Amino acid sequence: MKRSIFNQDITSIPMYTLSLFLFIALPSETSSFIGKQDTTRIAHLVEIAQQKHKERLPDSAEYYFKQAGNLANQLNSESGKLLFAGNYSVFLYDQVRFDEAMEYAQLALTISLRLNNRPKAAAAYNNIALQHQAKGQLKEAANNLISALEISNEIKDPTHRDLSDRRKYLNNLSSLFLDLHDLDKGLQYAWQSFEIARQLKDTISMGNSLVNVMVAEAMAGKLTDAVRHGKQYLSIGRSYGDLQMEIKALNNLADVYRMQQHYPLALETFSKALAITPKSMPGNEVYTLSGMSRVFKEMGNTQAAKEYFEKAHKLAVTELATPQLVDLYKDGADINEALGDYKQALDFHKKHAQLKDSLQSQETQKTIQELEVRYKTAQNRKQIVERDLKIVAQAAELDRKNKWFIIFLFSIFLLVFGAVAIRLLNRQKRKAQSTELQKKLIEAQLAGEERERERTAKELHDGVASILSAARLQINAMTEYTNTGAGFQDVSQLIEIAVREIRNISHNLAPEMILKEGLGYAIQSFCQRVNKPDFQMHCYVIGELPELNKSSQLTIYRVVQECVTNVMKHAQATEGIVQLVEEQGRLMITIEDNGKGFDTKLLWTSGIGFHNLNTRIKSLQGNLDIRSCIGKGTSVFIDIDCHAHTCLDKSMVEL
């Protein structure tokens, strides 16, 4: 069977069907482009060109198309350029000017994507697919056609025009599979196209879809069904006065009659098609002539077959698309072989084999099958979404029927939830208040202790230490005047020791050095004061300590002081280490000794000192870790977040 390349909305395969894509959504509804007066002028010129095209006046049609294109360029109107490019590519395709048609179809695609006009982009993809198929580039044709279908299926609420375009894309996909001789899929997509046309009540579109149905049936050997659908198509063409449709119907019916071996009827039907085919419709006559050639060949009249073949071959050079040449070359090879012209027959055999292999290669078929799977997958996803939306709609209807009951239940739930939430919030609030109160009590307790220590230190320093210093001076004076022996000197030394010890106690109780020299210096000074001949406490300050507020520095000092005091009282150590280092905003303090160690479990049962120590560290938002082993000393690790205790007067925010 032979296939037509025109009106490729309806494709077919061996017979003369519209085996090319019907050119997509033609911008026939020019009102969608009319927004300004200038665009209206472009649309008017395009309408005139389309009318001339229908009247089979190609020269006049091209003149008005070019006028529209020039005006769109002068006005730099994007919508005008899109209107012109889309329609002009259709015209060029009808004139079998595939390269030029491809150029303008690609221009239409570029503009539609730039304008984010998805329906027109789908139309442009379909037009590009049409040109590729005409050139025998089936993989490229399938890729662009699937893109058109994917965009079409993305439209949530398709209009009549959107559905009409989708029907064309499906019919063209049918044509593509018929080109590959995949009859099942060709028939499947043809019926899908027909069903959309039926839903739209579009009789002409139903006829265009029937062409591919007819071709698929004829190729599958269902000739009776093919004749029935062919007559339906012919009736539609004649009823609507569509000459192109009538010619295609006659050619396809004649080809089916040939396959049924009704040769006189086939020749009669071909003759009817030839009689009404005008010269202004290129591509139609060649199918009629090649069909008649095939009839004569099968009847055994090889000479007549050659005459019609040569006429068809002469036209085919300029009017046939690449896929349609396959069957023509096969006829040429058979006719010339029957006439004994083996050289010419071999030439046509080679052309036929080469072209058939390129069109129906395994790689091409595999690629197109993969593209179809991609399309079906996307379509299935859409169907799932639509099903889910339908379920949601049904659920919403059920919700409306039971809304008062649901509102009542929801209100009860809200009341219960609110009551529970309020109770939890109040409990959390009370807990936070209790924590805050406990923190303030601890701070007040620590502050009171510090004030009491400061007062005691002041009294010791200003009172007892002063009195002892005065007594030491009196004793020294008495020693000089009386020249009495060593007794007074011993007393003086004891008093000196007492004064020094009181001053140490005073400094420990109120470490003024923290306020003057900083935390690191104060702790180092404290460690030096506690050193004895039988005990050495080493202090290391690594790097520069962060600047903390005075209250935090004093608390840290007390923590270290208490840890060192515990070492001296209980550890029986000969050596200890205090280390302070700042790491990534945290102050790390380590106090270690080489004493006798102890069981750390006792800390949680009878450790009042540990409780006080832990309370101080918690007030600094720090962590305490004490590790000890009997006979192997003790290690205290303290980790404090410095950010919470940084001096406020030192902070700065940059916006």
Side-chain angles (χ1 to χ4, degrees), residues 579-596:
Q579 178 178 290
L580 294 90
V581 60
E582 189 268 341
E583 291 183 2
Q584 299 180 352
R586 304 190 70 84
L587 179 61
M588 317 296 290
I589 304 172
T590 303
I591 300 102
E592 294 183 323
D593 66 73
N594 62 350
K596 63 180 182 179

Side-chain angles (χ1 to χ4, degrees), residues 226-237:
V227 169
R228 177 166 53 86
H229 289 130
K231 288 182 177 180
Q232 284 182 258
Y233 183 54
L234 177 61
S235 176
I236 293 172

Side-chain angles (χ1 to χ4, degrees), residues 366-585:
K366 180 181 177 183
T367 301
I368 295 176
Q369 296 290 346
E370 290 173 351
L371 289 170
E372 189 211 10
V373 170
R374 186 185 81 183
Y375 164 65
K376 283 188 174 181
T377 301
Q379 195 175 36
N380 289 338
R381 284 198 297 267
K382 182 184 178 184
Q383 290 174 352
I384 291 172
V385 171
E386 291 175 347
R387 182 199 63 191
D388 292 344
L389 290 175
K390 186 176 181 180
I391 293 173
V392 170
Q394 292 173 347
E397 181 65 23
L398 182 62
D399 288 343
R400 283 193 293 271
K401 292 179 180 179
N402 301 282
K403 64 179 181 179
W404 294 115
F405 179 70
I406 294 174
I407 290 173
F408 173 75
L409 290 179
F410 187 66
S411 300
I412 296 297
F413 170 76
L414 285 179
L415 289 174
V416 174
F417 178 78
V420 172
I422 291 172
R423 184 168 182 177
L424 291 175
L425 288 174
N426 288 335
R427 181 183 296 177
Q428 188 69 20
K429 185 177 180 180
R430 287 195 299 271
K431 184 177 179 181
Q433 290 174 343
S434 176
T435 302
E436 184 66 22
L437 178 61
Q438 185 178 6
K439 181 181 178 181
K440 289 182 178 180
L441 289 175
I442 292 172
E443 291 177 350
Q445 179 184 353
L446 294 177
E449 291 177 359
E450 288 301 329
R451 286 195 296 271
E452 183 62 24
R453 287 180 176 181
E454 186 176 358
R455 185 186 64 77
T456 303
K458 186 174 181 181
E459 289 179 356
L460 286 172
H461 185 274
D462 296 341
V464 179
S466 298
I467 293 172
L468 289 174
S469 296
R472 181 171 57 81
L473 292 174
Q474 291 291 333
I475 290 174
N476 289 338
M478 291 175 62
T479 302
E480 292 177 1
Y481 285 110
T482 60
N483 292 322
T484 56
F488 283 115
Q489 292 180 356
D490 293 340
V491 173
S492 177
Q493 289 176 358
L494 291 173
I495 292 173
E496 176 68 23
I497 292 171
V499 170
R500 190 162 54 249
E501 189 66 25
I502 288 173
R503 285 176 177 169
N504 286 339
I505 294 172
S506 175
H507 287 162
N508 290 338
L509 290 173
E512 295 86 353
M513 283 180 291
I514 291 179
L515 303 177
K516 296 179 181 179
E517 304 295 339
L519 176 63
Y521 182 79
I523 292 177
Q524 285 178 327
S525 176
F526 167 72
C527 291
Q528 290 175 359
R529 291 198 303 272
V530 301
N531 283 336
K532 297 177 181 179
D534 58 345
F535 177 77
Q536 294 292 313
M537 179 60 72
H538 306 286
C539 182
Y540 303 101
V541 179
I542 301 174
E544 186 174 345
L545 298 183
E547 295 189 18
L548 308 176
N549 56 58
K550 298 301 179 182
S551 175
S552 299
Q553 291 187 51
L554 185 58
T555 302
I556 293 170
Y557 178 86
R558 292 300 181 203
V559 167
V560 175
Q561 185 182 52
E562 186 168 350
C563 290
V564 172
T565 301
N566 287 336
V567 171
M568 296 175 63
K569 286 182 179 180
H570 308 295
Q572 298 179 9
T574 61
E575 191 174 16
I577 295 175
V578 175
Q579 178 178 290
L580 294 90
V581 60
E582 189 268 341
E583 291 183 2
Q584 299 180 352

